[in-house]
Amino acid sequence: MSWFSPATYLGALAIGLGIGALTGMFGVGGGFLVTPLLNVLLGVPMPLAVGTGLLQVLGTTSSGIYLRRKSGLIDLKLAVTLFGGSTVGVWLGTATLNGLKGAAEVKVRGNPVAAADLYTLIIYVIMLIGIAAYMLYDTSRTAPPEGERSPFARIRIPPFACYDSLPGNALSIPALSYFGLILGFLTGLLGVGGGVVLLPALVYLAGMRTHAAAATSLVMVWFSSVIAVVGHTLGGNTRLDLAIPLLVGGTVGVQLGVAIADRTRAAQLKRYFAWVVVLAVVVVATKLLNMIW
Amino acid sequence: MSDLMSTGWFRVLVALTVPVLWGVGTAWFFERLNARRAALKAAQRDVHQGGA
């Protein structure tokens, strides 16, 4: 194993600190920012950035589950249903990334570019634009009223199951499993925990209360990242030496973020977060344009 | 021993254990620290109220 330069480890510590602060302020894992930032700012090859980012997601979610263990908000049955599809999705995503890693370089305007870096960055830009647009839209939106049938409850593909966190709504198990499959694919391919997609989906598509959705998505993301870490470690895509500064920086950052969040209004926080994601889009898109121009 | 350490599954075990232990360990530490701080603040408040 060859070591990275000291600057790379310091950079990882700084990224961990920044992402930890975001986690403390906004309550999101930030896995969707770690991977592109490792690649764009520190030049870590995309497959390694994905695997190492997942180690950070695993640490953050373990911490979150420990803190919420007595809250009674975790719907384990729903998390396990989603996890069923997610297992297949993680495997597909990991296999796709390993396939891209082994693929020949792509020629863009005569310049050779690593296929894994190019395709994953393109998907990242699309996903980050979607997340930023959603966050900006969400600042002016309220959760659907209780008792209203959620979009997930309108899908009538049997068999159905009732969940404690969703009283009165019998949800289609295949629909939840396929949704889990998509989330798992994103986890395996991009190294994102999936919480950033799952949390709004549970609130707006399944009609779940925000706190229960946050606790449940943590468990589901933890399960998916465990499977993804196994696949990526066996594929040689994880670097613990790079994950440790991310984890250490993250721990300090969370404490800073919580202190900042205590002094800021919730609506203001949401708007700040949307602009952080917009900034990430600009950084990743600039790298992509440099690559293909 | 060296054979065990070079296997992929040993690396998987380490890759899973370190982040989970770090996450749970730091959460436990800060939970206790915050509880101690809260208890200290409550005790100080009681002292002030008792003196008033």
Side-chain angles (χ1 to χ4, degrees):
Chain A
M1 183 187 84
S2 59
W3 296 94
F4 290 103
S5 68
T8 307
Y9 293 112
L10 280 177
L13 191 73
I15 290 176
L17 196 74
I19 300 295
L22 291 180
T23 307
M25 283 166 76
F26 311 115
V28 293
F32 66 102
L33 290 173
V34 172
T35 306
L37 290 183
L38 281 177
N39 176 262
V40 173
L41 300 181
L42 305 182
V44 177
M46 208 46 157
L48 275 186
V50 168
T52 307
L54 279 165
L55 296 179
Q56 191 264 352
V57 169
L58 190 60
T60 315
T61 48
S62 300
S63 180
I65 292 170
Y66 177 83
L67 292 174
R68 285 176 179 79
R69 69 195 185 283
K70 290 177 193 158
S71 67
L73 292 167
I74 296 172
D75 189 336
L76 202 59
K77 189 176 162 188
L78 181 60
V80 169
T81 311
L82 288 163
F83 176 62
S86 151
T87 312
V88 182
V90 168
W91 181 81
L92 285 174
T94 309
T96 306
L97 187 68
N98 284 332
L100 284 172
K101 196 171 80 168
E105 287 182 325
V106 183
K107 289 241 174 192
V108 183
R109 292 176 165 259
N111 299 320
V113 176
D117 285 30
L118 179 69
Y119 294 127
T120 44
L121 274 181
I122 291 172
I123 300 171
Y124 253 116
V125 170
I126 297 168
M127 195 187 74
L128 288 175
I129 289 173
I131 293 169
Y134 165 77
M135 291 287 177
L136 287 171
Y137 167 68
D138 187 51
T139 52
S140 59
R141 195 184 150 153
T142 49
E146 255 183 82
E148 189 181 291
R149 248 178 136 201
S150 64
F152 258 137
R154 290 192 203 117
I155 302 172
R156 308 313 294 165
I157 307 168
F160 300 97
C162 287
Y163 297 93
D164 292 343
S165 57
L166 297 160
N169 273 342
L171 299 186
S172 159
I173 295 175
L176 287 173
S177 300
Y178 279 113
F179 180 62
L181 189 139
I182 296 166
L183 291 173
F185 185 74
L186 290 177
T187 305
L189 180 67
L190 303 178
V192 296
V196 75
V197 181
L198 181 59
L199 180 61
L202 288 178
V203 173
Y204 295 114
L205 300 180
M208 210 168 174
R209 283 169 173 268
T210 310
H211 285 98
T216 304
S217 78
L218 262 179
V219 176
M220 147 67 187
V221 170
W222 188 86
F223 280 139
S224 302
S225 46
V226 164
I227 300 289
V229 164
V230 172
H232 280 299
T233 306
L234 289 175
N237 297 338
T238 51
R239 286 287 297 261
L240 202 58
D241 58 323
L242 200 58
I244 288 171
L246 278 175
L247 288 166
V248 173
T251 304
V252 179
V254 167
Q255 302 304 318
L256 287 175
V258 169
I260 296 168
D262 286 345
R263 295 180 181 86
T264 320
R265 282 185 298 127
Q268 222 174 351
L269 274 177
K270 267 188 176 179
R271 211 167 302 127
Y272 289 160
F273 183 64
W275 289 112
V276 168
V277 182
V278 169
L279 187 70
V281 172
V282 172
V283 171
V284 179
T286 308
K287 158 93 188 228
L288 188 64
L289 286 175
N290 277 335
M291 229 178 193
I292 60 178
W293 222 254
Chain B
M1 186 66 184
S2 61
D3 281 350
L4 175 73
M5 286 179 71
S6 62
T7 60
W9 287 103
F10 180 77
R11 279 189 286 125
V12 168
L13 190 68
V14 175
L16 288 176
T17 310
V18 172
V20 171
L21 280 184
W22 177 268
V24 173
T26 52
W28 173 83
F29 173 76
F30 283 109
E31 194 181 48
R32 281 187 65 121
L33 189 73
N34 289 336
R36 194 165 289 186
R37 269 193 204 147
L40 202 66
K41 265 188 188 171
Q44 279 173 341
R45 208 170 36 238
D46 288 347
V47 168
H48 285 301
Q49 278 171 353

